[in-house]
Amino acid sequence: MLSYRKALWALVFVANLAAASSAQAQYDTAFPGAVQPFTDVNLENYDFQWFAPPITEQYGQDTIDPNTGIFFEYHRLFMNVNRGNEAPGPWDGDATYGNRIDFGFMTEEDHGWLFSGWRLDGPSYDLVNRGDFNSFEANRTWRLPQFYKGFWMEPMIGMRYAQFNDKTAPLTFVQNNMLLGQLGTRVFSHRGQWTLKGEARAFAGNNFVFRGNIDDYSNAVVGGEFALGAAYNLTREISLDVFWNTMYFGEGIGRDPNANDSESMFISGVAFGVTLNR
């Protein structure tokens, strides 16, 4: 197990070094900040009028552009997690709760960063489906020009670390540690006091599976995430959100502590929360 942990942290370290050196090598002063790993956020130009009246005009018309600057989102998650292949009713799932936080910034030059973290405290169905899930991702983002009737697109590229601990077996839990690269996009459109939005990500990487004193192993993992929802803008920079979110991991998840198995995992449900300047 120690060797896999060392390999996992080595991969994280090397990936960060490679990203930083690549960005430095490709830097072009004709496009400042376009490929730099981090861009200065000029807070002096942001008025932070959280309670200004909401914008009701469609983005892209009457010189109304989408928000720039820093943003923060919090959502309460109500999700369903499928059971392992050896559990009773393997096609069923069990409900759990969790939290999601997103934060980052978008500059006036239409590039920025998005960081997102998940935490699910369950499911908690003893001897059938028990575990917890954690995820953190960092994405470089860009905003493309308006492309169709007020719709805007923000492509992203980044990395994700996801961990799923299966605690269904009473004596041994299975820990899945996934290091993933990902591509995705966010699409949104403003209509009156409503913002319609959708997100999609595809990811792939390696899963390091630890099983206590039992031999560890690793699997390749491919999957994706999809979200579709709407936000009601209370003020110019504060909105209430609701969306449906689904995350799928293809073959590669370890859930049986007594076998080097490779299963899929499906997490789906709804989220309610608040967004500041998005």
Side-chain angles (χ1 to χ4, degrees), residues 59 66 106 110-111 140-156 184-190 196-200 278:
Y59 289 154
M106 177 64 67
D110 295 330
H111 51 79
R140 189 66 163 131
T141 61
W142 294 265
R143 179 177 289 164
L144 303 181
Q146 180 183 350
F147 72 100
Y148 180 74
K149 293 185 177 180
F151 279 86
W152 298 75
M153 179 179 290
E154 295 177 352
M156 67 182 77
T185 189
R186 177 177 183 266
V187 179
F188 62 95
S189 180
H190 191 75
L196 309 178
K197 55 185 180 179
E199 296 184 10
R278 193 65 160 88

Side-chain angles (χ1 to χ4, degrees), residues 200-212:
R201 296 168 174 80
F203 47 74
N206 200 63
N207 179 16
F208 301 88
V209 185
F210 306 139
R211 297 180 295 173

Side-chain angles (χ1 to χ4, degrees), residues 142-176:
W142 294 265
R143 179 177 289 164
L144 303 181
Q146 180 183 350
F147 72 100
Y148 180 74
K149 293 185 177 180
F151 279 86
W152 298 75
M153 179 179 290
E154 295 177 352
M156 67 182 77
I157 181 172
M159 295 188 66
R160 180 194 295 256
Y161 171 73
Q163 181 186 80
F164 177 68
N165 298 305
D166 192 304
K167 305 175 183 178
T168 306
L171 300 178
T172 304
F173 76 94
V174 182
Q175 184 181 80
N176 295 267

Side-chain angles (χ1 to χ4, degrees), residues 114-140:
L114 166 64
F115 304 93
S116 180
W118 279 56
R119 168 68 184 179
L120 295 180
D121 298 320
S124 302
Y125 194 171
D126 288 340
L127 302 180
V128 176
N129 192 11
R130 172 176 285 274
D132 60 67
F133 176 77
N134 302 281
S135 173
F136 179 78
E137 61 183 281
N139 301 284
R140 189 66 163 131

Side-chain angles (χ1 to χ4, degrees), residues 231-247:
Y232 182 77
N233 299 281
L234 297 175
T235 70
R236 191 187 72 180
E237 299 180 356
I238 300 178
S239 62
L240 299 179
D241 305 64
V242 58
F243 62 86
W244 166 66
N245 204 140
T246 294
M247 188 181 300

Side-chain angles (χ1 to χ4, degrees), residues 15 25 36 38 42 86 90 96 121 169 191 196 202 213 240 246 255:
Q36 287 178 289
F38 292 99
N42 187 4
E86 301 302 318
T96 185
D121 298 320
R191 296 289 189 274
L196 309 178
N213 295 326
L240 299 179
T246 294
R255 306 196 68 169

